[in-house]
Amino acid sequence: MTYLAPRQGLFAIILLVSFCLQTLLLVISTDQQLSNSRAQKGEQMVAQLIDEARLSLENKDRVSLSVIANRYTSEQDVTRILIKDNNGDVLVPVGNAPMQQGDTISQIATKGDAVIGSVALTLKDISKGEIIAMQWPFVIGSMLLHLLLWLIYGYIARPTKEQINALSRDIQDLHREQYRQIDQREFARGYERNLERGDEKEDVSAESASAANVAATSRNPNVDKSDLPRKLDIHSAVNQYVRGQQGQNLELDATHDTTAHAMSNDGADNLQDQVTAGNANNHDSHKPNGSNGMARLSANRPFDSVSVQIVFHDEFNMLERLAPSQRLPYLALCTQLLNQAVTELLKQPLLLGVSAINEPRFDESGAYVMLKADNSHAKVALAGVMLAKLYLMLNKIIHDKHIELSRFALPAKAGVSDNAQVEAMSHLLESVGKKEQMLILLPNAGIKQINHHVQLQSVMRPTTVYERECAIFDGGNDAMIQRLADVRNAVLMIEETEEQG
């Protein structure tokens, strides 16, 4: 017969803990090595980027800086590049920081002794899964080694024949000792029985003597008979006491059965009442009230067109106080920029089947663009979100450029909604919207179109139904941000060509 090694399961647990600790140490050391190498690579890239962009950074040429930075974002480890001027204002943000995080390497760009700007480069974090995938030969080899050690232990640590024989002798000695103790107990019990038998013999002899006395009494009527009735009274009293106890036990059993039956009936009635009350509560809780029904209807409403509203963030009503000679050219510039953005954006293959219904124009209250889906596969909601984000990016550049030249300009904010919620979006932009922020108020079908491309967050502490349904744009994926950057550069190149012409 083959015996297993002692505590083989405990040894398997120890080997499993050893394998996990070894894998953890491997991941930590590899992560440290990769972090050091990526840090050195990032510093070299930042130094090279500053050398290439020094002239453009000195002239604050955003287009050239954007083109130079885009070449570095094509690297797999680079997630974002942020170029600032000497005043700390952002000139070119390239990449997607909200969706990915990592280590940031910053360096100041100088020309001689003068500081002309700074460059911040963000490197992507390496996940633990990627490290394990890179080191899979070591991980599998370590797992096989621990499994081999477990099998070797199970084979070597098995008990030998000498150990088994010694163990069997110990077990026999133990049983023999137990049997000896049992025999001693049996001997003691037998001795006690013999003593009891001797006492019984004495009692029998005494009873025989008493019987003789009774016989003598029967033969002799003059003998005292007071002892015989006393013994009969004792037996009768004992019999009556036993019968009384049996009767009380029967009454107690009957009372207990009756009480249990009553309690079971009461429990069943109470349980039935609880079930009925629970069903009534559930029925009442599932009745839709007016607000829930309205919210459900609002979330599932159909749509085939989207309205993009763009308004100025004018806290002090400066646009109304501006002279017409300055206000009208500024509004015309914003209108031209928005129309070019719509034209260039709708050329993207991703937005095939989406068309603009109106020609937007800016006035003091802003502008709005109506986009329509020509077929069921057109992503009109995504087109509205991309158009709003594109114009915010363009307006940021135009606003910063005008501020540098000491000219009038205003920041903007945008809202994307379907036609049923245009008025609600206008109120939301006025009450909730902040500078350079995009609000989204779309039904479930529209949210599904943009869910894989953008990241959303809810409004903090909503006070109305529309604020609860409204979402705030919080970032996009790499592909979407890259498309918007390309379209932005194309619009700016068209703008510069027209200005030169």
Side-chain angles (χ1 to χ4, degrees), residues 158-208:
R158 287 183 300 177
T160 60
K161 291 183 179 181
E162 291 79 7
Q163 293 175 345
I164 294 174
N165 293 330
L167 183 62
S168 63
R169 287 194 296 269
D170 293 339
I171 293 174
Q172 290 177 0
D173 295 339
L174 179 62
H175 285 299
R176 194 177 294 114
E177 184 68 23
Q178 291 178 353
Y179 290 151
R180 187 181 295 114
Q181 294 176 359
I182 292 173
D183 293 339
Q184 291 177 359
R185 293 173 184 173
E186 291 293 334
F187 176 76
R189 290 175 182 175
Y191 180 74
E192 292 176 356
R193 291 194 193 98
N194 292 331
L195 291 177
E196 291 177 356
R197 288 173 183 174
D199 295 338
E200 289 177 357
K201 289 180 180 179
E202 292 178 356
D203 295 337
V204 170
S205 61
E207 289 178 358
S208 61

Side-chain angles (χ1 to χ4, degrees), residues 104-122:
T104 301
I105 301 173
S106 301
Q107 187 172 348
I108 298 175
T110 60
K111 185 177 182 181
D113 295 335
V115 177
I116 60 175
S118 63
V119 176
L121 185 141
T122 303

Side-chain angles (χ1 to χ4, degrees), residues 101-394:
Q101 297 179 355
D103 299 331
T104 301
I105 301 173
S106 301
Q107 187 172 348
I108 298 175
T110 60
K111 185 177 182 181
D113 295 335
V115 177
I116 60 175
S118 63
V119 176
L121 185 141
T122 303
L123 298 175
K124 181 179 66 175
D125 284 337
I126 297 179
S127 64
K128 304 302 183 292
E130 293 179 358
I131 295 176
I132 295 176
M134 291 167 55
Q135 301 291 338
W136 67 268
F138 179 83
V139 175
I140 294 178
S142 177
M143 182 176 61
L144 294 177
L145 177 61
H146 283 80
L147 181 60
L148 182 62
L149 289 175
W150 182 72
L151 295 176
I152 292 174
Y153 172 79
Y155 178 76
I156 294 177
R158 287 183 300 177
T160 60
K161 291 183 179 181
E162 291 79 7
Q163 293 175 345
I164 294 174
N165 293 330
L167 183 62
S168 63
R169 287 194 296 269
D170 293 339
I171 293 174
Q172 290 177 0
D173 295 339
L174 179 62
H175 285 299
R176 194 177 294 114
E177 184 68 23
Q178 291 178 353
Y179 290 151
R180 187 181 295 114
Q181 294 176 359
I182 292 173
D183 293 339
Q184 291 177 359
R185 293 173 184 173
E186 291 293 334
F187 176 76
R189 290 175 182 175
Y191 180 74
E192 292 176 356
R193 291 194 193 98
N194 292 331
L195 291 177
E196 291 177 356
R197 288 173 183 174
D199 295 338
E200 289 177 357
K201 289 180 180 179
E202 292 178 356
D203 295 337
V204 170
S205 61
E207 289 178 358
S208 61
S210 62
N213 292 329
V214 171
T217 304
S218 61
R219 289 192 299 270
N220 189 5
N222 296 323
V223 178
D224 189 7
K225 299 181 181 180
S226 60
D227 294 336
L228 183 60
R230 187 177 302 166
K231 292 181 180 179
L232 293 175
D233 293 337
I234 291 173
H235 288 292
S236 62
V238 169
N239 292 331
Q240 290 178 1
Y241 175 76
V242 171
R243 292 191 189 96
Q245 291 294 327
Q246 291 178 354
Q248 291 179 1
N249 292 333
L250 291 175
E251 291 177 358
L252 289 174
D253 293 338
T255 305
H256 177 72
D257 294 338
T258 306
T259 305
H261 182 68
M263 291 176 64
S264 63
N265 291 333
D266 295 339
D269 294 338
N270 293 330
L271 180 61
Q272 182 66 27
D273 295 338
Q274 292 176 1
V275 170
T276 305
N279 292 332
N281 292 331
N282 292 332
H283 179 70
D284 294 337
S285 64
H286 285 85
K287 288 182 179 180
N289 53 16
S291 61
N292 293 336
M294 182 177 64
R296 190 180 301 111
L297 179 62
S298 177
N300 296 326
R301 59 185 181 273
F303 80 107
D304 59 352
S305 60
V306 166
S307 174
V308 180
Q309 301 183 46
I310 302 171
V311 297
F312 295 111
H313 187 74
D314 192 2
E315 297 178 347
F316 305 102
N317 296 326
M318 297 176 61
L319 191 61
E320 295 180 357
R321 302 174 184 176
L322 194 65
S325 59
Q326 297 179 359
R327 181 174 66 249
L328 296 179
Y330 177 70
L331 295 176
L333 174 63
C334 294
T335 301
Q336 183 180 1
L337 202 65
L338 179 57
N339 287 323
Q340 291 175 359
V342 173
T343 303
E344 293 295 326
L345 182 64
L346 295 183
K347 293 179 182 179
Q348 296 292 319
L350 180 64
L351 305 179
L352 186 65
V354 179
S355 59
I357 300 177
N358 66 328
E359 183 177 356
R361 288 185 176 277
F362 269 94
D363 53 14
E364 289 79 0
S365 61
Y368 72 95
V369 183
M370 298 294 295
L371 300 178
K372 183 179 180 181
D374 298 333
N375 52 62
S376 59
H377 302 287
K379 299 181 179 180
V380 65
L382 181 60
V385 172
M386 292 181 68
L387 177 60
K389 182 60 179 176
L390 175 61
Y391 187 79
L392 291 178
M393 295 166 63
L394 293 170

Side-chain angles (χ1 to χ4, degrees), residues 428 432 439 457-462 466-468 470-472:
L428 289 173
V432 181
L439 303 181
Q457 66 177 3
S458 301
V459 177
M460 297 296 293
R461 294 183 294 274
Y466 296 110
E467 291 181 6
R468 186 171 63 248
C470 181
I472 302 175

